[in-house]
Amino acid sequence: MLIILKNYISALPAIGKCAGSLLDVTVCAPRTCHCAVVRNYSFDPVNIFDRKAKRIQRERAALREDVDVYDYIKDEVGYRLADRVFDVKKQFKVAVDLGTNRGFVSRHILADTVEHLMMCEMSPTMLGQAQSTPGVKVTKIEVDEETFSEDIADESVDLVISNLSLHWINDLPGCFVRIMKCLRPDGVFMASLFGGETLYELRSALQLAEMERRGGIAPHISPFAHIRDIGGLLNRAGFTMLTIDTDEIVVGYPTMFELMWDLKGMAENNAAFNRPLHLHRDTLLAASAIYSQMYKKPDGGIPATFQVIYLVAWKPSPNQPKALARGSGQVSLKDLDKVVEGKIK
């Protein structure tokens, strides 16, 4: 095998002094080149989520007559995210609502804060149901969140907001890079997404039930990003002045089945490519019993935890505040109490 490989490499056409191989290693001509060995690593994103399936799920949820019944999580998080937009004391000429859904953030955006709001959503029915407040110029764009930058020019947006949509993106690092490109200098990116501890009760109950009934487990709950990873991805994309925090919303349900029904109504059911298409009845009943046994509330019912990660990131700009040079401080931190009391100025 070594002889065959050696013969194959020597037969490759030379490009200058060096020839490439199928091993992704730079191969040099013997005794003629001193190039360093370089490996070509691939960082192509892995498609975890089926975006077509997620679009169908959102369409089905939006077409329900009682669609408003299932908005309680997204409406609450959208209100909290919009409140963070109001904390920034500036007016944004152009803003993008990435993954608008049914307008859970846009319905709280005021004309005093945003002049022109561009709503980007891949579900046409949900996009048609999204509304904003009077005085805000609205442009609706039916586009997948993964390819939204194709319809928006570089450095043309002052604010990008996204409410509970980014956890379905396959290439999250690439999405952050595309958001960075469309922002103007000193533009801000605000978003909320579900974190890794979301629905841990349901995940545990289904795994234990399948281990007992089937002898193995299947990915019934989609994977979520952890808060420790978000900061690194934002720094890698070039953002600065990061603010990342997390919040937990615990909702009570009578049983596990009401929780699963509501997740379907929110269009938050599983859309991973490797999701199982069938869940046996005995496994469901066992999971419901395990869920109730492990997490039952004293007053009845079961809790479901939704971990929400909030992030605020800025695109670098020369006029942004910068830290002073290291060692230029005049007061020690141990004297901070004296500064507060006014003894040291």
Side-chain angles (χ1 to χ4, degrees):
M1 178 62 69
L2 292 177
I3 296 175
I4 295 174
L5 184 60
K6 182 178 180 181
N7 293 337
Y8 171 75
I9 293 177
S10 62
L12 287 174
I15 303 176
K17 292 184 179 181
C18 303
S21 76
L22 296 180
L23 302 178
D24 288 334
V25 178
T26 301
V27 182
C28 302
R31 301 189 184 92
T32 60
C33 183
H34 301 283
C35 299
V37 176
V38 178
R39 293 187 179 271
N40 298 321
Y41 295 100
S42 175
F43 294 98
D44 294 335
V46 178
N47 288 331
I48 300 175
F49 304 114
D50 187 347
R51 298 294 297 177
K52 293 182 179 179
K54 179 51 60 181
R55 182 180 182 274
I56 293 173
Q57 291 171 1
R58 290 183 180 180
E59 279 291 289
R60 289 174 177 172
L63 291 172
R64 298 179 62 130
E65 295 181 358
D66 57 347
V67 60
D68 295 338
V69 175
Y70 308 100
D71 289 345
Y72 50 92
I73 293 289
K74 294 185 177 181
D75 197 20
E76 175 63 24
V77 177
Y79 174 78
R80 298 183 184 185
L81 183 61
D83 188 59
R84 295 166 186 254
V85 176
F86 299 146
D87 290 338
V88 180
K89 304 303 180 183
K90 63 182 295 187
Q91 187 178 36
F92 304 100
K93 293 184 178 180
V94 181
V96 172
D97 186 357
L98 186 59
T100 302
N101 210 279
R102 299 185 62 245
F104 299 109
V105 178
S106 60
R107 66 183 60 170
H108 302 293
I109 297 298
L110 303 178
D112 295 338
T113 305
V114 175
E115 293 183 9
H116 182 197
L117 180 62
M118 304 173 66
M119 300 182 182
C120 299
E121 170 60 43
M122 66 178 177
S123 169
T125 305
M126 284 191 170
L127 187 62
Q129 296 172 351
Q131 300 296 330
S132 185
T133 56
V136 178
K137 180 184 176 182
V138 175
T139 301
K140 296 184 178 182
I141 305 174
E142 182 183 340
V143 64
D144 194 325
E145 295 95 311
E146 293 189 342
T147 59
F148 79 98
S149 58
E150 298 176 359
D151 299 296
I152 299 176
D154 294 348
E155 296 190 354
S156 61
V157 178
D158 301 296
L159 168 67
V160 175
I161 50 180
S162 179
N163 180 52
L164 296 182
S165 176
L166 296 179
H167 54 276
W168 293 115
I169 299 295
N170 284 303
D171 182 16
L172 192 58
C175 181
F176 287 165
V177 171
R178 289 189 289 272
I179 291 173
M180 166 68 80
K181 288 182 178 179
C182 75
L183 282 173
R184 294 192 179 106
D186 201 32
V188 60
F189 170 43
M190 298 186 181
S192 63
L193 65 158
F194 286 129
E197 298 300 320
T198 298
L199 298 176
Y200 73 89
E201 305 98 338
L202 180 61
R203 188 195 308 269
S204 301
L206 288 172
Q207 289 178 349
L208 291 174
E210 282 202 316
M211 283 292 295
E212 176 192 357
R213 301 288 173 160
R214 305 294 163 190
I217 60 176
H220 295 287
I221 307 296
S222 299
F224 299 105
H226 290 271
I227 188 171
R228 63 177 177 270
D229 302 323
I230 299 297
L233 294 178
L234 290 171
N235 279 322
R236 175 181 170 182
F239 286 99
T240 186
M241 296 194 300
L242 308 181
T243 303
I244 305 173
D245 62 285
T246 182
D247 193 8
E248 286 190 354
I249 300 176
V250 181
V251 184
Y253 297 91
T255 67
M256 184 189 76
F257 300 105
E258 284 79 9
L259 166 61
M260 297 176 69
W261 184 263
D262 279 18
L263 289 174
K264 184 178 180 180
M266 300 175 195
E268 290 298 327
N269 35 338
N270 197 353
F273 274 111
N274 61 345
R275 66 191 185 279
L277 300 180
H278 180 70
L279 188 58
H280 295 273
R281 183 186 297 270
D282 60 336
T283 304
L284 275 174
L285 295 175
S288 179
I290 293 172
Y291 201 133
S292 179
Q293 181 68 27
M294 294 180 62
Y295 303 106
K296 186 175 182 179
K297 299 165 62 176
D299 55 348
I302 58 169
T305 302
F306 297 87
Q307 184 190 36
V308 183
I309 299 174
Y310 298 94
L311 59 93
V312 180
W314 295 78
K315 185 170 183 177
S317 174
N319 60 354
Q320 287 177 347
K322 295 179 175 59
L324 296 176
R326 188 178 181 87
S328 60
Q330 302 296 323
V331 180
S332 174
L333 284 176
K334 68 179 181 180
D335 298 326
L336 184 61
D337 58 331
K338 298 180 182 179
V339 175
V340 175
E341 295 173 358
K343 297 180 180 180
I344 298 180
K345 297 183 180 180

